[in-house]
Each structure stands twice: as structure tokens, then as C-alpha cells.
Amino acid sequence: MTPAAYTEHDRQIWEEELEEFVPPRVFDAHIHLFNPQHMGEGTGRTWSHADLETLQSWAQRLYPGRETHFLVLGSPAPGIDVQAHNDWAIQQVSQDPQTRMNRLVTPGCNIEDIRRDVLTHGFVGLKPYRLFSVTGDVAQCRIHEFLPHEQMELANELGLWVTMHLSRHHGCADEHNLDDLADFTTRRYPNIKWILAHCARSFTYWPIRKAIDRLRDMPNIWYDLSAVTDVRPFITLFSKENTKRLFYGSDGIDSTYFHGQYVALGRAWQALDTSRFELQFPHCEGRPILAIYEQLLSMKQAAEIAELSADDIEDIIWRNATEALEIGDPMSTRSNTT
């Protein structure tokens, strides 16, 4: 998807539905920086250019008047120059004392390079991705097949965060994923802090509903809420999880700053970018809105159903992540270690 222009319909939703819901400060715990210059020859379509200024500009457009900071995740584009991307992105991140970054890693990354980058440049965690699985099966790979045990051992030693987009058809409901997470969190790697992206990859009602009773008993598990636009996964998390373990995230800019949503179809789901279709709306004045606003609307409605308080919402959108990441006063000196 490609970021869309901000329209009067987006503005209407913000002013009438979201302005009173979103607190004065926003911490986006799932967002990407990207520079197309880091892509190799012949890699095909790439993501939109997004430096820190781009993220901040979008934040002011999406959340007018809000202070916004980020947990930037390395961008897992096949063919990317991993080291060049990480070097450039951490330089961007260093411009904001309250923004942090998880380093892009692939199974081919040298373990000492990762250690050096964490200790020297201030990365707070790792961002692996299923597209780099050593099996070549990006749909059905297990965690250790794209985040090798050697890298998990380092993350455990240094107490790093890992933002995990689970693979396998059932996402967090998959028994291999659940068994692996239980083993990693309670036995093998108790110092890793796991962020399960996209409501533990629950774009429909079913995976998180099936998995929640096991996940909520695991230590060192958090969730980012990014790119989920179905209200039902939020209802499950808001009513059955400890809301202190929930982080707001957008997956901006390409993945949610388009007009459309991630449509749930039973247990299936698909991204729907309305700019790719000649849709007509003869029965209404409204028009499609940005997917990130669809996400926030679903969060708002789920919060009402789960009877969350304004403090709970501020926790999810700001305090939980900033406290967990130990982000202090913006004028304080940023540490180069974790």
C-alpha cells in the first residue's frame, strides 16, 4: 500500500470520534523508517521513503496537537542492505531522545555485529521477520527459523526487546508458536521481552480468542495493537489481558496510512486498499478513511465494551510503552546501553 492524502472524511472522523479518545501524548510502538537507497538492484517495488521527519509530519496530521514518539522497527524488506539500513535508521532515531529502535536482524547477521550495535548505538531490541526464514517457507515457519537461537541467546543475555510477527497460518493460536513462546519465556530465554505484533497476529477474532488463556499466563509478553481494524481482537485483549501489557502501534507509514482496512472474513483476512478498486457509495455521504483511523475507532469501541477508563486508554497509548522502555524526561541524556 501507498500512503494516501489526508481527506475531509479523515478529518471528520478525527474531530467527531477520535479527538476526545486519543490522549495528549502518543507513543507508537510499531512504526518503520525506510530509505529506498538501501535496496539492492532488481528488488522490485519498495516501501515509501520515510525518515524521522516524515514520521513526525504524519503524526501531527493524524494526531493534531499531540506529542508523539516512536519505537522504530527495522524494515524487513527482502533485498535490503541490513547494516546500511540499521546505521541510517539509528541516526534518524538519535534525533529524538524519546524515540527508540529495534534492530533489523536476519539469520545471516553476525552475532558480534548485533552486540556491537546494541552496546554502541543504543538499539533496545531486535526486529526479525518471517520473510527471512531459513526454510524458505514464510507462511509456516517457526520462530527459531527466522530468529536463530544464537540471536535469542544474545537477546536474553542483554535483556533485549523482540518485536515478533508470528508466522504459521493460525498465528498465536498455532500450537507450535504457543509451545515455543511458553518454553522461551519460562525456561530458555527468561530475560527477553517479547512484543507480539498485531495483537499477536490476530487480524480476525479467532487466533487471540483461542490463545489468550495461555498467553496471559506467560511472563515477559506484551502486545502491540498495530494494523488490526477488526474490533473483536481488541475486545478479547481489553477484557481478558492485563491492559498494562498492551502498546499502541500504527505500523506506519505504508501499512496503515491508506484508505481502507484489514478486512476480516471469518478466520481469513485481507488488506483492502480502496484506491485499487472503483468502488461506488450511492447510499451514503461518507467515504473510506485511513486504516489507522479504522484501528483507532475499533479500539475506542472495544474500550467502551470492556469498560476501560480514560487512564486505561492513556496507559495503552502512552504510559505502558514509555514506562516499559524506561523513557524518561525528553531533556535527559540518552544512554547508549540497554
Side-chain angles (χ1 to χ4, degrees), residues 80-101:
I80 197 168
D81 183 327
V82 174
Q83 193 63 56
H85 169 69
N86 284 322
D87 289 345
W88 171 80
I90 198 64
Q91 289 178 354
Q92 293 289 311
V93 166
S94 68
Q95 299 172 39
D96 177 7
Q98 289 186 290
T99 285
R100 299 291 184 268
M101 183 173 176

Side-chain angles (χ1 to χ4, degrees), residues 54-90:
T54 304
L55 302 193
Q56 292 169 333
S57 176
W58 263 105
Q60 285 306 304
R61 195 174 306 142
L62 295 172
Y63 327 112
R66 272 57 175 180
E67 175 188 347
T68 306
H69 305 281
F70 313 98
L71 174 61
V72 170
L73 307 180
S75 297
I80 197 168
D81 183 327
V82 174
Q83 193 63 56
H85 169 69
N86 284 322
D87 289 345
W88 171 80
I90 198 64

Side-chain angles (χ1 to χ4, degrees), residues 25-29 67 69-70 98-100 161 244 246-247 314-328:
R25 295 179 295 180
V26 174
F27 193 90
D28 185 337
E67 175 188 347
H69 305 281
F70 313 98
Q98 289 186 290
T99 285
R100 299 291 184 268
W161 294 87
K244 295 294 289 184
L246 308 180
F247 296 167
E314 189 164 5
D315 282 346
I316 292 169
I317 295 180
W318 171 260
R319 277 192 296 263
N320 290 349
T322 56
E323 290 177 1
L325 291 164
E326 299 180 347
I327 295 174

